[in-house]
Amino acid sequence: MSRLILGILFIILTVLIFYLSKKLYHIIPTPFTLPIFITSLFFVLLLIIFDIPYQTYMIGGQWLDHFLGPLVVALALPLYRQRHLVKKYAKTIFIGVAIGSIIGVTSGIVFAKWFSFEEVIIQSIAPKSVTTPVALSIADSVGGNMTIAAIGVMIAGIGGAMFAPLMLRIFRIDHPVARGLGIGTASHAIGTAKALELGELDGAISALAMTITAITVSIIAPFLLQWLL
């Protein structure tokens, strides 16, 4: 089978599974039926069961991956629409992101040390709360493994999208700025997509928090790793 046909098949299958997952989520709206979780789980099992190399899937998957850049840029639209509120809460946003970034990196390092993980794993999961390209760059610069870093980013993003609404209800956090800050700081672009479902202001703040977090973590992660390891 040619690479072109194989790539097209994987693109069609990915879109189909995501579409069916969305239908299921509308019928049974639970964290475990979230489309991105179901789709990711399906392909992990598919590749493992049929012994398909990840590189083979990415023949088609890479074309879907190219949409990530435009998607992130598109998040600027709700941010622009809510710019007056962003200016109003600017101090709260920057303080919240700074604290959240420190906690995000520190928690990963501390828990990994608690479970006696190897140093390379700790270095890899430290930047788990930022978007993939930034996390991979940070992990590479501090001596981590980029594959493990990518897995950490996926877990943080999908976990945030799955359980953020539940956590917000448990802790009675109902202000859009607070919700957006928490989700964007902890769960980058995947969480931001979920924040947009809660409201446009939630999504705008989450997009901004995601961006500031990426910058902040890239600065503080090497220092925290050096201090805590």
Side-chain angles (χ1 to χ4, degrees):
M1 186 180 296
S2 71
R3 289 173 60 88
L4 177 60
I5 295 175
L6 193 59
I8 293 172
L9 285 175
F10 274 124
I11 291 174
I12 293 173
L13 184 59
T14 302
V15 173
L16 177 62
I17 296 301
F18 188 79
Y19 174 77
L20 294 175
S21 299
K22 287 192 71 174
K23 290 290 186 181
L24 176 64
Y25 183 68
H26 285 304
I27 298 171
I28 312 173
T30 72
F32 296 100
T33 55
L34 199 71
I36 192 167
F37 173 70
I38 294 291
T39 306
S40 299
L41 181 62
F42 173 85
F43 280 101
V44 167
L45 293 175
L46 178 72
L47 299 185
I48 291 174
I49 292 172
F50 292 97
D51 195 25
I52 301 172
Y54 177 69
Q55 290 77 9
T56 302
Y57 168 78
M58 284 304 292
I59 293 172
Q62 63 178 325
W63 297 104
L64 296 173
D65 195 44
H66 289 325
F67 286 101
L68 181 60
L71 174 63
V72 173
V73 173
L75 293 173
L77 180 59
L79 188 59
Y80 175 76
R81 288 174 176 168
Q82 301 292 337
R83 62 190 182 281
H84 60 290
L85 288 173
V86 171
K87 291 179 181 178
K88 178 180 177 182
Y89 294 106
K91 184 178 179 180
T92 301
I93 291 170
F94 281 98
I95 293 175
V97 169
I99 295 173
S101 298
I102 293 171
I103 292 174
V105 176
T106 303
S107 62
I109 297 172
V110 170
F111 278 110
K113 287 188 67 177
W114 188 26
F115 286 103
S116 301
F117 287 151
E118 295 179 12
E119 189 170 302
V120 66
I121 296 178
I122 299 174
Q123 293 165 334
S124 303
I125 65 174
K128 65 186 183 308
S129 297
V130 300
T131 192
T132 305
V134 179
L136 296 184
S137 178
I138 295 171
D140 185 48
S141 67
V142 298
N145 181 291
M146 288 192 285
T147 301
I148 297 174
I151 294 171
V153 171
M154 276 186 55
I155 293 173
I158 296 175
M162 289 174 64
F163 298 109
L166 175 62
M167 298 300 293
L168 293 173
R169 286 196 298 271
I170 290 175
F171 292 100
R172 299 180 181 179
I173 300 172
D174 53 14
H175 196 288
V177 173
R179 294 188 306 213
L181 270 176
I183 295 173
T185 303
S187 302
H188 48 84
I190 298 176
T192 298
K194 186 64 180 179
L196 278 167
E197 294 181 14
L198 302 178
E200 186 173 83
L201 181 55
D202 300 70
I205 298 298
S206 183
L208 180 60
M210 175 186 71
T211 305
I212 301 173
T213 299
I215 298 170
T216 305
V217 171
S218 65
I219 295 171
I220 66 172
F223 294 103
L224 288 174
L225 280 165
Q226 188 176 20
W227 180 45
L228 294 172
L229 283 181

